[in-house]
Amino acid sequence: PHPPTEGELPDRFAVSRHTVREALRQLRADGLVASRQGSGTTVMPPPPSTPFNVHRVASIDELIAYAAETRYVIEQTDLVTSEDVAAQELQLPANCRWLRLQGFRFGEEPAAAPICWTEVFVAAEYAGVERLVARQRGPIWRLIEDMYGERLVEVEQALRVRPVPEELAEGLRIDATSSVVEVCRTYKTASDKVAELSVNLYPSDKFRFNMKLRRA
């Protein structure tokens, strides 16, 4: 029997055409299938396995899934001011206090190297999330929404390559002369207030970034 066409899939799986189109769109975005006019859709070989593919995190919903699939093991917490961390060149509003969380993020394999080092700054008025962070998976900003009734509507993501901080090389299991990819995410509320900022350092040889651009 011939493979089903896109038009036949809704009847075969008892779903709507919209559901089929959205599923195929996501499969194409993930590089699992390729579509060419006149040739149909072809299943592609899986991409090389890496501990983290940031191209998967292309929406706020995918940030939720990423945080739920990994473990954030917090090693240290403290309260700091924007001025205390000014040397890190972070885009934190001035004259504010922050709950700072520091630790490594791990995948499902206990013996594997950490995925990244993560440092999180939570605006002091939301510092109550600290008591829940270690108990449950998922993004910290969702705890802010649930506990304080805020709504975070924007995430700005910036990437740069930098030398690995000497004190983190051993924990990341990389050479002290290696580079890391820094992914800085700023989470803002509907009133444009910075509720959270996270700094994530990924070993550069295990990091891949893909972006798809489409004309409107």
Side-chain angles (χ1 to χ4, degrees):
H2 68 83
T5 65
E6 183 175 333
E8 294 170 340
L9 288 173
D11 290 338
R12 174 171 292 199
F13 295 102
V15 296
S16 68
R17 291 181 179 271
H18 171 77
T19 298
V20 169
R21 285 195 296 269
E22 180 60 22
L24 290 173
R25 184 199 67 77
Q26 187 61 57
L27 289 170
R28 283 191 291 269
D30 290 343
L32 299 177
V33 301
S35 299
R36 295 182 61 184
Q37 189 171 2
S39 301
T41 298
T42 304
V43 176
M44 304 298 291
S49 176
T50 59
F52 178 68
N53 280 328
V54 76
H55 80 278
R56 290 182 53 204
V57 181
S59 69
I60 289 179
D61 286 342
E62 288 170 350
L63 274 176
I64 297 174
Y66 164 62
E69 292 168 359
T70 60
R71 294 180 296 113
Y72 184 29
V73 180
I74 298 171
E75 296 189 351
Q76 181 178 336
T77 67
D78 57 1
L79 286 172
V80 298
T81 68
S82 302
E83 290 63 38
D84 291 334
V85 294
Q88 292 183 242
E89 301 179 359
L90 302 175
Q91 298 300 310
L92 288 171
N95 304 315
C96 293
R97 297 173 67 244
W98 307 87
L99 167 69
R100 178 170 61 179
L101 312 170
Q102 296 173 300
F104 291 99
R105 190 173 288 280
F106 294 87
E108 295 295 341
E109 297 182 19
I115 296 171
C116 65
W117 165 264
T118 297
E119 186 173 25
V120 179
F121 297 85
V122 177
E125 57 263 49
Y126 311 127
V129 301
E130 179 183 4
R131 66 180 184 270
L132 295 180
V133 169
R135 299 186 205 167
Q136 60 189 74
R137 292 195 181 187
I140 294 172
W141 57 267
R142 286 298 294 270
L143 295 177
I144 295 174
E145 290 187 325
D146 293 343
M147 292 180 64
Y148 296 94
E150 286 284 10
R151 177 166 167 74
L152 302 189
V153 298
E154 179 182 296
V155 182
E156 180 180 347
Q157 183 168 268
L159 290 79
R160 68 170 179 166
V161 176
R162 52 175 287 196
V164 62
E166 185 177 348
E167 68 275 13
L168 297 179
E170 183 177 356
L172 287 170
R173 303 188 197 176
I174 59 177
D175 189 88
T177 61
S178 299
S179 296
V180 290
V181 178
E182 177 188 274
V183 180
C184 184
R185 298 188 182 103
T186 304
Y187 301 79
K188 294 184 178 181
T189 67
S191 59
D192 204 39
K193 171 183 171 58
V194 176
E196 178 191 334
L197 183 143
S198 70
V199 181
N200 308 272
L201 303 182
Y202 299 90
S204 58
D205 63 340
K206 298 177 181 176
F207 187 91
R208 188 179 70 189
F209 177 79
N210 288 2
M211 178 181 289
K212 180 179 288 188
L213 302 176
R214 179 175 295 178
R215 281 184 169 176

